[in-house]
Amino acid sequence: MTRPWPRNLAGQMALLIALALFVAQAINFGLVLRDRIEFRLSQATRPVATRIADALDREAHGGRPLTADRGRVRRLPADPIRRIGDERHPEVAAELRRQLGDQGVTVGRIDTGLQPSTLDDDSDRDNRRRAGIRRGERDGATLLIAVEQPGRGWLTITAPWPQPGARLLFALLSQTAILYIIVLLPVLWIVRRLSRPLRDLRVAAERFRPGEPGAPMPAEGPDDVAALITAFNALRLRVTGMLDEKDRMLGAIGHDLRTPLAALRVRIESVEDDTDRAKMIDTVAEMNRTLDDILSLARLGRPSEPPTDVDLAALVDAVVEDFRDIGSDVSFVEADRLRMRLRPSLMRRAVRNLIENAIKYGVSAEVRVEAGAKTVAIVVADQGPGIPEDRMGDVFDAFTRLESSRNRETGGIGLGLALARAIVREAGGEIRLVNRAAGGLDAIIELPR
């Protein structure tokens, strides 16, 4: 399972710097390893070429001849390196041939063999002793070099051959750890300080509520971050000003519309025909209710009512009692006291809208309050036909009705559920509709405890 890329700025910068340090250390490891290989090759070939050239020069000018049992450079009749078992290093042979050629020494084949630290049998011990491998060299890594002189046998000499061990790797790992501590931790601390204004800006944006007073954020951090914070402060002021202007406009609209409706209601009283007068009164009342719903929905983002501690079961019971007083078939399942902090008038409006829908489309309503460990549910159950599953989301849209006849007796203007959902979401909850298997619909308000 791959680890996801960090989403915050500090984590991304830390990961990028860590990757850069890792790549740099990998390149450094490759360079150090290459230099070590070149150094080991030079250490093995330069002294050998010099000693062979000096020994041959002394022998040619009447010095002591090269033998098989004494001296660093010895002459043997055959190649002492085993064909199978000894590790060859052709790069050493190629470099040694080049260096001997620079000194004017002509040779035939050059053979190499890495000698083990222990000797297998007496014949191997005798061959290595004749080749000039000392006891101390046999205990470590030693490279045996055999140089052929056509017609005169083989010249043998030994050279140290350092083995690549864990010491180099440990040194590089220690160096990497020190770099991470010295470089990465301070950089991470600096990046976190630079990104702190962005985190504060995110928190301020999440907590922003129109109409709630709040001091502007201080413009801190780098220039671009400070400019972003300044723009956010200006945007918050503009949004608040636009909402204030909207509230004033809605208040004026409500006042201008209610005045002629009130005058119309007075004039209706002079109508002599009782049937016509009753229909006109119902029409004016419906217009007033529609106006109240529209204004409530538009102003919901900035409610004037503060949250208070209320008994949710008593609040719902009071709404049900209002419907009983006008003769509606609504029942309430008794529940224990349940303290909740919410806006009581708005919550009563949401519950009332659900009960009105249940009575209008489902004849009767049963209301109950169910308390859970983390949430509280207000369930309004009706006995109606339910709602098609593919239209569940549509009924919450403003001015949407599943019943398309436009008859006021069979439906309003489609604001009841939209307003109820807006109220519940403003309280931090959610509203959903569920068709029961046995028939009927459950409208459920879920609020966090």
Side-chain angles (χ1 to χ4, degrees):
M1 181 178 180
T2 59
R3 186 176 182 179
W5 180 265
R7 295 182 179 274
N8 61 320
L9 178 61
Q12 291 179 359
M13 291 296 295
L15 183 58
L16 288 175
I17 294 174
L19 290 176
L21 288 177
F22 178 79
V23 172
Q25 283 300 98
I27 296 174
N28 182 43
F29 178 78
L31 294 176
V32 170
L33 186 61
R34 188 191 65 179
D35 292 342
R36 187 175 181 85
I37 292 174
E38 292 180 353
F39 172 76
R40 184 171 62 177
L41 184 62
S42 174
Q43 188 182 32
T45 56
R46 288 180 182 176
V48 169
T50 300
R51 287 172 182 169
I52 290 177
D54 290 345
L56 291 177
D57 185 67
R58 288 195 303 269
E59 186 182 45
H61 290 81
R64 187 177 60 188
L66 300 176
T67 62
D69 56 356
R70 53 186 293 180
R72 284 189 172 273
V73 180
R74 305 185 181 191
R75 189 186 301 279
L76 298 177
D79 185 359
I81 301 174
R82 296 177 300 185
R83 295 185 178 275
I84 299 176
D86 289 344
E87 180 182 339
R88 258 67 175 182
H89 287 274
E91 71 279 7
V92 175
E95 178 64 18
L96 181 59
R97 184 182 299 277
R98 185 187 65 80
Q99 293 190 18
L100 288 174
D102 292 342
Q103 299 189 39
V105 178
T106 302
V107 297
R109 290 194 307 116
I110 298 179
D111 199 3
T112 60
L114 190 63
Q115 304 302 308
S117 58
T118 58
L119 301 179
D120 299 331
D121 51 35
D122 294 339
S123 60
D124 285 340
R125 186 181 299 110
D126 294 339
N127 289 336
R128 284 155 175 74
R129 180 180 55 78
R130 286 194 299 269
I133 301 177
R134 294 174 174 81
R135 181 179 181 82
E137 293 173 339
R138 290 198 301 268
D139 294 335
T142 303
L143 187 65
L144 177 60
I145 302 174
V147 179
E148 182 186 19
Q149 276 193 302
R152 301 183 61 187
W154 291 76
L155 302 177
T156 63
I157 189 173
T158 59
W161 189 255
Q163 294 294 315
R167 185 174 182 179
L168 176 61
L169 181 61
F170 178 76
L172 288 174
L173 291 178
S174 302
Q175 182 184 11
T176 303
I178 293 173
L179 282 176
Y180 272 86
I181 294 174
I182 295 177
V183 177
L184 186 60
L185 293 182
V187 168
L188 181 60
W189 179 77
I190 293 172
V191 170
R192 286 186 63 85
R193 284 187 59 87
L194 293 178
S195 62
R196 185 178 61 184
L198 287 177
R199 296 196 302 272
D200 295 341
L201 178 61
R202 176 184 59 82
V203 172
E206 291 174 348
R207 293 179 177 177
F208 174 64
R209 295 293 183 272
E212 294 183 359
M217 286 188 59
E220 299 176 342
D223 292 342
D224 51 351
V225 177
L228 179 61
I229 294 175
T230 302
F232 170 76
N233 291 331
L235 177 63
R236 183 167 61 177
L237 292 177
R238 289 198 299 270
V239 170
T240 303
M242 291 172 60
L243 291 175
D244 290 338
E245 181 64 26
K246 184 201 71 170
D247 287 346
R248 288 191 293 268
M249 180 186 66
L250 290 174
I253 291 174
H255 179 270
D256 292 343
L257 288 179
R258 282 195 174 94
T259 299
L261 286 175
L264 183 60
R265 177 69 176 82
V266 173
R267 291 178 181 273
I268 290 173
E269 295 296 332
S270 62
V271 176
E272 296 181 357
D273 188 280
D274 294 339
T275 304
D276 290 341
R277 185 172 60 252
K279 290 182 178 180
M280 292 178 183
I281 292 174
D282 290 342
T283 300
V284 173
E286 181 69 22
M287 293 176 66
N288 277 312
R289 286 194 298 270
T290 300
L291 181 60
D292 288 340
D293 287 344
I294 293 175
L295 293 178
S296 298
L297 186 61
R299 288 174 173 168
L300 193 60
R302 304 183 67 190
S304 58
E305 181 186 26
T308 57
D309 291 333
V310 298
D311 181 359
L312 184 62
L315 182 147
V316 175
D317 190 16
V319 176
V320 172
E321 198 63 32
D322 292 339
F323 281 94
R324 285 176 179 168
D325 292 341
I326 61 176
S328 298
D329 186 6
V330 183
S331 62
F332 177 70
V333 179
E334 294 296 330
D336 296 333
R337 292 173 58 87
L338 187 61
R339 303 296 296 180
M340 297 284 291
R341 186 170 182 81
L342 43 80
R343 305 182 198 273
S345 297
L346 290 178
M347 191 54 59
R348 277 194 291 268
R349 186 75 175 269
V351 176
R352 185 163 53 247
N353 286 356
L354 295 185
I355 296 177
E356 285 178 350
N357 281 349
I359 295 173
K360 187 176 299 183
Y361 299 107
V363 181
S364 64
E366 180 188 82
V367 185
R368 60 184 185 273
V369 177
E370 299 175 349
K374 296 182 179 180
T375 60
V376 175
I378 304 172
V379 183
V380 179
D382 63 36
Q383 303 299 323
I387 298 176
E389 295 293 337
D390 58 343
R391 299 297 304 277
M392 284 291 189
D394 298 340
V395 296
F396 290 105
D397 296 337
F399 305 104
T400 297
R401 293 178 52 188
L402 297 185
E403 202 280 323
S404 60
S405 67
R406 296 301 177 190
N407 185 356
R408 290 191 182 96
E409 299 299 328
T410 59
I413 62 171
L415 285 179
L417 287 177
L419 182 58
R421 184 173 67 171
I423 292 172
V424 173
R425 286 186 172 177
E426 193 275 337
E430 190 54 77
I431 184 171
R432 57 191 178 91
L433 305 177
V434 179
N435 288 317
R436 295 195 303 274
L441 179 75
D442 286 348
I444 305 171
I445 294 176
E446 289 184 343
L447 298 173
R449 297 199 65 167

